[in-house]
Amino acid sequence: MKLATYPGPTRDGRLVVVSRDLTRAAPAHDLAPTLLAAVEQWDDVADGLAARAEELEEGSAIGEFAFDPEEALAPLPRSPQWLDGSVFQTHLDLMAQALHPDKPNESTDWPYVYQGASDDFLGARADIAGYRLDEGIDFEGEFAVIVGEVPMRVTPDEALGHIRLLMLCNDVSLRAYAGPEVRVGFGFLRAKPSTVFSSVAVTPDELGGAWRDGRVHLPLRVNRSGEWFGHPHGSQMTFHFGDLVAHTATTRRLSAGTIVGSGTVSNDDRSVGSACIAERRAIEIIADGAPTTTFLGHGEEVHMEVLDADGRSVFGEIRNRVVVA
C-alpha cells in the first residue's frame, strides 16, 4: 500500500492512496483525514486503506484521479518527532578519517541518533530555497520509517513490529554550521534545515523480499544536476531499523507518527559512489589531501530514487532544485 498527502484544510493535508505504479490516486480522507491520523489509529484503519488501495488497482475506486507528485506534500508535513541516525559505519569512518585523522573513529554498541526539527517537512518536488553558497549546501540520501506508538524499553525485534511505513529522504544539510555545532556538544540545529521526504510512504510489504532484517535491500540512486553521483545499497546498515527504534525508546515511549532516519546511505565499495557531497569530499581529502567536489550551487538539481528488482520506482523520485529564494 502506498499513501500520500495532498493539500487540505489544515497544514497536515488530506490522505490519499496511490497506485503501485504511482500514476493514479484515490481519496482516503473518509477513512482517516490525514496520514498522521491513520498512523495513530492504524489497527482500526489499515484494512480499510488496504481495501481502497486494491480498488484503485482494479480501477473501481470512487473519485480516482491522476497522481501528481508536484502537488503532493511530504507524507507527514509535520510530525511529533524526527529522529535521525547515522548507522552506516563506512560513512562514519570516512568522515572521521578525513576530519580527525589523528583520532580514529570509535565504534559503539549503540547507534548514533540526534533529534531534528519536525515542524516543517518539504515535499519531494519542493525547492531548496534561501540558502547562501557559503553555508555549504549539501544533500543526504537516506531511508526512513514512520512508527506507531512504541512503548518504552521495547526490544529491537519488537520495535520492527511497530514500523508502519517507509520513506525516502533527502536530509538537506548546511555544512558550514555542522562542525561548530557538533564541537560544542549540543548537536545539529542551524546545520539541518527542513528535511525533504518522498511523495509516498509505503507499507513494508510493498518492498517484498527487499525489506528484511530491518533493512531496505535496494540501492539508492542519486544524481546531481543530471550526472550520476552514487547508488549505495541500503543493506549495509550497521544497526537495523529495529535497533534504531529501540534505542530511541530506551527511556521514553515514542508517539505514533515519529519518523526515524537511517542517516546517509554508504557502502564499503567506492565504485558505488556516495549519497552526500560531504562523503565524497572526505574521500578526496583522504586520497589527495584536499577536496575538489564543491557543495551545491544555485540552479543545481538533486534527484534521488529507489527502483525495485523490476525497475519500478518504490517511493517516487525526489527532485529538488536549489534556488536563491
Side-chain angles (χ1 to χ4, degrees):
M1 177 167 55
K2 299 189 177 188
L3 303 173
T5 295
Y6 260 45
T10 72
R11 282 189 58 200
D12 299 306
R14 60 185 174 90
L15 181 64
V16 301
V17 296
V18 181
S19 61
R20 291 189 178 95
D21 64 3
L22 301 173
T23 63
R24 296 168 294 117
H29 57 273
D30 57 317
L31 301 171
T34 66
L35 182 60
L36 180 58
V39 174
E40 290 174 332
Q41 313 166 51
W42 193 254
D43 290 342
D44 297 325
V45 303
D47 288 346
L49 290 170
R52 184 68 51 83
E54 281 307 309
E55 291 172 358
L56 182 61
E57 295 301 324
E58 296 166 359
S60 60
I62 297 174
E64 176 184 323
F65 58 94
F67 179 63
D68 183 1
E70 297 281 349
E71 189 172 351
L73 307 176
L76 288 175
R78 54 184 175 172
S79 79
Q81 192 166 210
W82 163 225
L83 303 170
D84 197 16
S86 188
V87 295
F88 286 85
Q89 194 64 43
T90 297
H91 178 74
L92 291 170
D93 291 343
L94 285 171
M95 298 304 295
Q97 185 178 350
L99 300 176
H100 310 289
D102 56 337
K103 183 182 178 183
N105 187 50
E106 297 181 5
S107 60
T108 65
D109 58 0
W110 44 269
Y112 294 169
V113 187
Y114 74 92
Q115 186 174 46
S118 63
D119 60 325
D120 184 35
F121 295 136
L122 299 179
R125 301 300 174 86
D127 288 338
I128 299 170
Y131 304 113
R132 304 188 311 269
L133 299 185
D134 63 0
E135 292 176 298
I137 308 167
D138 199 356
F139 53 83
E140 290 190 51
E142 306 185 15
F143 294 104
V145 299
I146 301 173
V147 298
E149 185 168 318
V150 180
M152 188 173 73
R153 302 200 191 281
V154 68
T155 68
D157 285 345
E158 291 168 343
L160 289 174
H162 293 282
I163 293 173
R164 303 291 180 247
L165 297 159
L166 291 94
M167 299 182 291
L168 183 60
C169 165
N170 176 9
D171 183 34
V172 181
S173 299
L174 301 176
R175 299 300 182 184
Y177 303 119
E181 289 184 337
V182 169
R183 283 192 291 274
V184 300
F186 262 34
F188 299 122
L189 181 66
R190 293 185 300 170
K192 295 293 184 178
S194 296
T195 305
V196 176
F197 288 97
S198 51
S199 55
V200 299
V202 310
T203 48
D205 61 287
E206 284 292 318
L207 277 72
W211 172 251
R212 62 184 187 274
D213 307 321
R215 299 169 173 87
V216 178
H217 289 253
L218 291 170
L220 194 168
R221 302 169 185 272
V222 182
N223 279 20
R224 174 183 181 175
S225 297
E227 295 186 0
W228 173 87
F229 200 86
H231 60 271
H233 206 271
S235 62
Q236 288 193 16
M237 290 174 73
T238 309
F239 296 94
H240 62 62
F241 273 112
D243 296 318
L244 273 168
V245 173
H247 174 74
T248 60
T250 300
T251 56
R252 54 179 171 160
R253 68 180 181 87
L254 304 183
S255 297
T258 294
I259 304 172
V260 181
S262 68
T264 304
V265 179
S266 181
N267 293 172
D268 297 334
D269 182 359
R270 296 287 177 273
S271 70
V272 304
S274 298
C276 75
I277 296 172
E279 181 175 293
R280 178 179 282 189
R281 287 168 61 91
I283 293 169
E284 293 166 347
I285 291 170
I286 294 166
D288 306 317
T292 55
T293 300
T294 61
F295 290 115
L296 289 170
H298 295 142
E300 289 204 74
E301 282 195 346
V302 178
H303 293 197
M304 297 181 182
E305 193 169 21
V306 173
L307 305 180
D308 65 17
D310 296 318
R312 297 170 299 196
S313 184
V314 177
F315 306 98
E317 183 186 33
I318 287 178
R319 188 188 305 162
N320 304 132
R321 186 167 58 99
V322 181
V323 300
V324 176

